[in-house]
């Protein structure tokens, strides 16, 4: 079984910064895409940023220029550096990982339990 554990959330004033980390552990052959989602109160979960194993990156428009996603393949860890935080960034942030159990496995998506990020205005 694969587990994802997020860390680094918290309370910050508008304009501040936070760095989220997410480490994957368990039985796995490899990890393809890793990503960060967020869910604001009363809203649906949305994809914030995604990074492939080779380093291809996607961001939603609202975080471009402010957030940076990165990963350390040797540590099975993905990061999200969040700068110039705004009240609209408040929510629970979840990391995900597409995990392959074997070379031929199409992959299974796992989701962490989430980390709360609160930005006060």
């Amino acid at each position: 079984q694969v587990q994802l554990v997020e860390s680094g959330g918290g309370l910050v004033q508008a304009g501040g910064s936070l760095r989220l980390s997410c480490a994957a552990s368990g039985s796995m052959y490899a990890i393809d895409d890793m990503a960060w989602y967020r869910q604001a109160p009363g809203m649906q979960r949305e994809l914030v940023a995604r990074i492939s194993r080779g380093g291809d990156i996607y961001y939603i428009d609202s975080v471009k220029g402010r957030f940076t996603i990165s990963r350390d393949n040797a540590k099975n860890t993905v990061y999200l550096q969040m700068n110039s935080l705004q009240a609209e960034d408040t929510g629970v942030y979840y990391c995900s990982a597409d995990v392959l159990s074997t070379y031929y496995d199409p992959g299974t998506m796992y989701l962490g339990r989430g980390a709360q990020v609160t930005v006060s205005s």
Side-chain angles (χ1 to χ4, degrees):
Q1 188 69 340
V2 174
Q3 288 188 328
L4 302 177
V5 179
E6 298 101 337
S7 61
L11 172 64
V12 64
Q13 289 188 334
S17 299
L18 284 174
R19 187 187 193 220
L20 301 178
S21 300
C22 172
S25 63
S27 177
M28 64 189 86
Y29 171 77
I31 301 177
D32 277 346
D33 289 357
M34 302 187 82
W36 288 97
Y37 292 79
R38 70 184 178 192
Q39 187 166 19
M43 304 291 286
Q44 288 190 331
R45 189 179 300 158
E46 64 175 350
L47 174 65
V48 174
R50 181 178 62 233
I51 183 168
S52 71
R53 183 171 181 82
D56 295 326
I57 290 174
Y58 163 84
Y59 297 105
I60 57 170
D61 287 344
S62 61
V63 307
K64 286 180 180 178
R66 301 188 299 120
F67 290 12
T68 302
I69 189 171
S70 61
R71 65 189 283 175
D72 184 333
N73 291 331
K75 296 181 179 180
N76 293 326
T77 299
V78 63
Y79 307 95
L80 187 67
Q81 177 66 44
M82 304 182 291
N83 298 329
S84 302
L85 281 162
Q86 304 166 359
E88 300 76 51
D89 297 316
T90 293
V92 179
Y93 284 68
Y94 302 87
C95 72
S96 74
D98 292 332
V99 177
L100 283 64
S101 60
T102 69
Y103 179 82
Y104 301 101
D105 183 7
T108 300
M109 180 178 165
Y110 291 88
L111 200 65
R113 299 182 69 175
Q116 177 69 45
V117 171
T118 302
V119 184
S120 62
S121 57

